Structure formats: structure tokens, C-alpha cells
Amino acid sequence: MYIVIAGGGKIGYYLVKTLLPYKHKIAIIEPQEDVCVKIANELHIPVINGDGTDLDILSEVELEKADVFIAVTGKDEDNLISCQLAKKNFGVKRTISRVNNPKNIEIFQKLGVDLAVSSTSIIAELIEQEVDFTGIKTLMRLSSGRLVISEVTITGDSPVCNKCLKDINIPKDCVLVSVIRGEEVIIPNGFTELKENDSIIAVSSKEDQEELKEYFVGKGKR
């Protein structure tokens, strides 16, 4: 796979070091000449001294042959422009951009960037997944965050403890995937009775997650 990266700072540098063992062909575009020399000497890959928003520079790196274009400079505007040029002028099928301001993620996606990545958002999401203040833990987000896979642990004072699923009016857009009881994984049906310490794995919309918590944990529980 041929990968072109705009930005030879720390993120670009370590991205190359991570990708090289997978035998990808990689080239970097970097405006600072001293950084170009350092990368070329240390990583032994083609490094073009120039601006990733310059069509001549993008042509010089033969961007039309690239499978993936990745923009990781410190300027959101430059990352967006270079990704758009890669798509529209050189036909690159997949573009990935670093987003320094998390508020720009949606804008980047609407303007054609295939994947916009914000380290701030990633860290915040990891914290949200790991810290369980509400009795319900987010395991994974799907479809750009619109769907969530949640884990709920049933306690002795849960409103659903010792009840069958057919007697529980869970939100209509929620799907219970499994009930984990000790080492046993149960595929639930209407007659499955929920016990204390059961872990429920459910898929719901992000909006229904709070309602799901109310059914299984209790309203207002923290």
C-alpha cells in the first residue's frame, strides 16, 4: 500500500515508524527542511520539502498513486484543504485527517474527509468508557457514535432483579444481545430471568442509553 503523509512532526514521525514494519511504501511532505533531513536520514523514506496544500508538491510525491492520504499537521485548515485536494484532484480513495479542535470533526466529515481523528475526543471517550458513574458502561460506539454497545450489571436493588425479560418494558429501539452469568453466556429470550450480578450486553441508540439505564439500574441512580 502506498501512503502519503502530510506533516513530519511527532505524530507524522511516529506514524511512519509504526507503519514501516508492515512493508507499506510511505512518503512524507514536510515544510521544514531540517525536519525533512532528519526523517530521511533516520527512516530512509522519500521526504518532500514543501506544503501539503500545494498542488505541485502533491504531484511531485505522485499522490495519484496513493492508496491513503493522511494529514497530520498542526493546522486544521491545512489538513482539510490537503485532504480535499487529494480526493478531488488526485482521486485518492481514502483520506484521514488529524483534527486539533474536536468541534471540527463533523465539518471535516461533511466536507469529504473519510476519517477525522481528534486525540482530545479519543481521550475523552476512553475516559467515558472506563469510568462508570451511572451503573452503565459504554463498551463501543458504532455508526459514528449513533449506536452504542452498553454493559449493565444487575444489582440486588435493580428494578429488574429476579424478573423475566417478558415482564420488562425495555425501550423499543434497544436490543439485548446477551446475559453474562459467571462463566455462562446466555442468549436471552422472554423467559430469561435476570439475577443479581448478571451483566447485560445491549445495543441501543445514544439517545436511548439513559432510558436503558433507568430500566436496569433505576432512575436517578449514580
Side-chain angles (χ1 to χ4, degrees):
M1 183 180 293
Y2 180 35
I3 300 170
V4 175
I5 299 173
K10 288 184 178 180
I11 293 177
Y13 176 83
Y14 286 107
L15 184 57
V16 173
K17 289 195 72 172
T18 301
L19 292 172
L20 279 177
Y22 295 95
K23 307 302 182 183
H24 296 301
K25 180 183 177 183
I26 303 171
I28 275 192
I29 300 170
E30 166 55 44
Q32 296 186 44
E33 189 173 354
D34 58 331
V35 176
C36 292
V37 172
K38 177 179 181 291
I39 293 173
N41 289 338
E42 291 186 14
L43 302 181
H44 308 292
I45 63 169
V47 182
I48 306 299
N49 180 211
D51 191 327
T53 63
D54 186 323
L55 284 172
D56 291 334
I57 294 296
L58 296 177
S59 296
E60 186 177 346
V61 79
E62 297 185 304
L63 189 58
E64 68 278 1
K65 297 180 180 179
D67 300 287
V68 181
F69 177 77
I70 306 173
V72 291
T73 76
K75 296 182 179 179
D76 284 0
E77 298 86 353
D78 288 352
N79 291 340
L80 174 60
I81 292 170
S82 59
C83 282
Q84 289 180 317
L85 292 175
K87 276 270 189 189
K88 296 176 181 179
N89 292 66
F90 296 90
V92 179
K93 292 182 179 179
R94 187 158 182 80
T95 56
I96 300 172
S97 176
R98 170 190 180 187
V99 180
N100 300 283
N101 184 347
K103 294 181 180 179
N104 289 335
I105 291 177
E106 187 175 353
I107 297 171
F108 274 48
Q109 293 172 338
K110 286 182 177 179
L111 293 176
V113 177
D114 294 303
L115 180 60
V117 181
S118 164
S119 57
T120 304
S121 295
I122 291 171
I123 292 170
E125 186 166 316
L126 286 172
I127 292 172
E128 182 181 348
Q129 291 176 9
E130 291 300 322
V131 181
D132 180 11
F133 290 110
T134 64
I136 183 168
K137 180 184 287 187
T138 300
L139 299 179
M140 185 180 296
R141 298 185 185 277
L142 307 170
S143 299
S144 300
R146 293 189 296 272
L147 291 178
V148 292
I149 300 177
S150 304
E151 178 183 3
V152 189
T153 299
I154 305 299
T155 62
D157 59 354
S158 295
V160 298
C161 190
N162 300 319
K163 290 186 178 180
C164 292
L165 289 178
K166 64 183 179 63
D167 300 320
I168 302 169
N169 295 317
I170 65 172
K172 65 177 182 179
D173 293 327
C174 297
V175 177
L176 299 188
V177 178
S178 61
V179 177
I180 301 173
R181 184 172 296 159
E183 298 297 321
E184 183 182 8
V185 178
I186 302 168
I187 305 301
N189 58 49
F191 295 96
T192 301
E193 185 177 350
L194 300 180
K195 301 288 188 180
E196 185 176 359
N197 296 322
D198 282 354
S199 290
I200 310 300
I201 307 298
V203 179
S204 69
S205 67
K206 184 178 180 181
E207 293 74 20
D208 285 333
Q209 192 179 34
E210 179 64 21
E211 190 176 355
L212 187 71
K213 184 208 63 149
E214 292 178 8
Y215 276 100
F216 288 97
V217 180
K219 192 171 184 177
K221 292 289 181 68
R222 294 285 173 185

